[in-house]
Amino acid sequence: MTFDLSGQVLVVAGEASGDHHAADLVRALSGPAPGLSFYGMGGPELAAAGMEVLHDSRDLAVMGLAEVAGSLRLAARTLANLRGTLESRSPAGVILVDFPDFNLRLARAAWRRGVPVVYFISPQIWAWRAGRVRQMARWVSRVVCILPFEVAFYRKHGASAVYVGHPLVDQARDAPARDAARQRLGLPPSGRVLALLPGSRRQEVRAMLSGMLDAARRLRQHPGLDAVLLPVAATLEDRELAAAAGSEGLGGVRLVRGDFLPALAAADAALVASGTSTLAAAMMDTPMVVGYRMNPLTYVPVRYLTRVDHVGLVNLVAGRRVVPERIQEDFTGENLAREGRRLLVDGEAAGAQRLAFREVRSRLGPPGVFSRAAEAVVAGLLRSAAPGPGTGR
């Protein structure tokens, strides 16, 4: 179905995964809304999808309350510029992708000007700082959800929300199976392979890579590893990885760029930073240990405000603890290696995770996620935005 919708749309994605998913969405929108063009903030993938990139999201690839302080000036300038384009360009709508501390401010500015706002990949306000849902309900025309439990939360608080499935469902369809992935990456068909996924943000990598590397060194000694893979996000440079690795360096670790899902498919086990990558590992049927560590000044308020029992999305979707989590002070090389060793040598432990992954995959929706998302976004943009204060200021 094609809709009579034309003009510019402001798109704002704040990190590597958002850039990736937003790029797929922009491409999918050419079907139902061929008259739209796009500008805003994003990374190389949105640029490749044809969006006019005014601000590179990699410059704001930070996390948490303490870490973001160093980028406040740049964030303020970027936000002011994008707010200004709401008046100078009069866009047909705004598409926001995650990045809530930044994007909710922009949502309010758009609402004040009567510009419809669609939130794709909604912020995880159901996990912490849930009071922001009132702002979402007021300022956002449509929330396009990618996790099955989100819709009930938003609708309960008066927000218009629709579930379209998770983008990984479509992306995983084209990913190779284990043997093909190993052949593609030049790995032997047999032997133990470990994948390390410390996150896509610089601060995440600084906080977690050294611990994961310590675990990999322990696992090389027992039970032995034939390869250690480190899929690298487009936002990260080799020098940043080397600095985060610490004194031991990256020796014996193979950096993989552009083959994130194949690297996971090739692995017998993975050490994964909490986030979307846990669902990617489940899609690739790769047993995992989930971990996370952040600045203590950030962790204290986050822990106090968190409303969920698990930090790993794979556990949240499953509704129970199906993979181990090692968080903050428990995030050590020794603990990660202990859990990883169980997955590498105990077929029953790995098999139990894979059985649970089937359930997780079934809850993430059927293929065609971006087609459904594009139609949901267009429907949201066509909705009349709730009237703002009327001042336009």
Side-chain angles (χ1 to χ4, degrees):
M1 180 182 297
T2 301
F3 296 86
D4 185 16
L5 182 64
S6 60
Q8 291 188 320
V9 172
L10 169 59
V11 179
V12 180
E15 53 192 3
S17 61
D19 179 47
H20 183 70
H21 296 324
D24 284 340
L25 177 64
V26 163
R27 295 185 186 97
L29 282 166
S30 65
L36 293 179
S37 60
F38 305 91
Y39 76 95
M41 183 172 83
E45 296 202 46
L46 270 168
M51 188 180 92
E52 179 189 356
V53 177
L54 301 182
H55 299 278
D56 193 327
S57 59
R58 291 173 292 187
D59 296 334
L60 294 177
V62 296
M63 70 178 196
L65 304 176
E67 292 84 356
V68 77
S71 297
L72 282 178
R73 288 186 179 179
L74 175 60
R77 290 196 302 269
T78 303
L79 181 62
N81 179 269
L82 293 174
R83 280 174 173 161
T85 69
L86 294 172
E87 184 172 347
S88 63
R89 296 202 180 198
S90 300
V94 176
I95 300 173
L96 304 176
V97 184
D98 203 0
F99 211 48
D101 289 329
F102 186 96
N103 275 339
L104 284 177
R105 290 172 171 80
L106 194 58
R108 181 177 184 270
W111 169 77
R112 289 173 66 91
R113 289 167 174 78
V115 179
V117 176
V118 174
Y119 222 120
F120 176 58
I121 308 182
S122 63
Q124 295 177 5
I125 57 178
W126 39 263
W128 75 300
R129 295 174 64 189
R132 293 177 293 176
V133 71
R134 293 188 292 272
Q135 299 171 338
M136 295 277 289
R138 188 180 187 191
W139 301 335
V140 176
S141 301
R142 173 71 57 87
V143 184
V144 181
C145 301
I146 64 171
L147 295 171
F149 51 80
E150 292 179 320
V151 170
F153 170 82
Y154 281 109
R155 290 179 178 174
K156 175 183 177 181
H157 293 90
S160 172
V162 59
Y163 174 56
V164 297
H166 201 282
L168 282 168
V169 173
D170 284 347
Q171 293 161 5
R173 280 195 305 170
D174 298 326
R178 179 182 183 275
D179 290 347
R182 289 198 171 195
Q183 183 177 19
R184 175 170 173 166
L185 296 173
L187 298 170
S190 60
R192 294 188 179 99
V193 176
L194 179 72
L196 308 179
L197 286 79
S200 62
R201 303 169 186 169
R202 297 181 184 96
Q203 283 77 10
E204 286 178 325
V205 174
R206 289 171 190 159
M208 285 177 278
L209 180 57
S210 61
M212 291 185 175
L213 290 171
D214 181 27
R217 285 189 286 270
R218 294 169 184 265
L219 292 172
R220 279 200 189 98
Q221 296 172 5
H222 172 63
L225 296 173
D226 293 274
V228 179
L229 306 179
L230 176 56
V232 182
T235 53
L236 298 170
E237 299 179 6
D238 289 358
R239 59 178 177 81
E240 293 172 318
L241 296 172
S247 59
E248 297 288 341
L250 289 165
V253 176
R254 177 175 170 184
L255 304 184
V256 179
R257 291 189 179 274
D259 275 324
F260 172 67
L261 290 179
L264 269 175
D268 296 291
L271 308 180
V272 187
S274 174
T276 303
S277 292
T278 68
L279 293 180
M283 293 298 297
M284 294 295 97
D285 215 25
T286 304
M288 75 189 90
V289 182
V290 173
Y292 211 75
R293 183 165 58 195
M294 62 179 68
N295 188 305
L297 294 177
T298 300
Y299 179 70
V300 171
V302 167
R303 183 177 183 181
Y304 178 75
L305 295 170
T306 295
R307 301 162 55 92
V308 293
D309 296 328
H310 316 292
V311 300
L313 281 177
V314 64
N315 288 332
L316 288 167
V317 172
R320 63 187 191 280
R321 186 68 59 91
V322 299
V323 305
E325 298 181 351
R326 292 290 174 261
I327 309 302
Q328 210 61 10
E329 62 270 11
D330 289 334
F331 183 92
T332 65
E334 182 179 0
N335 286 341
L336 294 175
R338 182 183 302 112
E339 298 289 355
R341 189 173 294 116
R342 290 180 62 243
L343 297 177
L344 290 168
V345 303
D346 184 348
E348 185 174 342
Q353 285 200 16
R354 290 191 171 106
L355 184 63
F357 293 164
R358 295 181 190 177
E359 181 182 346
V360 170
R361 290 193 292 268
S362 72
R363 295 182 179 182
L364 294 180
V369 171
F370 283 101
S371 295
R372 295 191 296 274
E375 292 191 3
V377 166
V378 170
L381 294 178
L382 288 171
R383 292 186 62 186
S384 296
T391 63
R393 296 191 297 270

